Amino acid sequence: MNDVVDSPRAAAFRRLYWRCRRGFLENDLLLQHFLQRDGESLDDEEMERLNHLLDCDDPTLWELLSGRARCEDEGMQQMVERIRAA
């Protein structure tokens, strides 16, 4: 039995990681690469933005991540651009 208790942040990151596993391979690859590269540096606000972005369906998310569409919210658009740069 593991007596180590995860911090709330570690648990939130693990949930976020699993939410990044998508049905579209293209989304999956971009999101997984982003989390591997930048995931540990995300602050709480950025994690919330990414969670909100992950509420999009796969086709909409792909439109955003491929640059074919833009988020109306500038903070969300910055997160999209950060994912695209990873």
Side-chain angles (χ1 to χ4, degrees), residues 8-37:
R9 181 167 171 72
F13 182 78
R14 210 171 37 256
R15 282 189 304 275
L16 186 62
Y17 179 83
W18 284 105
R19 286 198 72 206
C20 284
R21 296 182 52 110
R22 307 299 290 211
F24 276 24
L25 178 61
E26 295 85 351
N27 288 342
D28 195 22
L29 293 173
L30 283 171
L31 292 166
Q32 294 297 319
H33 183 71
F34 169 71
L35 282 182
Q36 289 172 358
R37 191 185 98 175

Side-chain angles (χ1 to χ4, degrees), residues 58-73:
D58 280 336
T60 302
L61 184 57
W62 176 244
E63 290 295 307
L64 294 168
L65 295 178
S66 67
R68 295 181 184 143
R70 286 187 57 86
C71 294
E72 291 181 17
D73 179 89

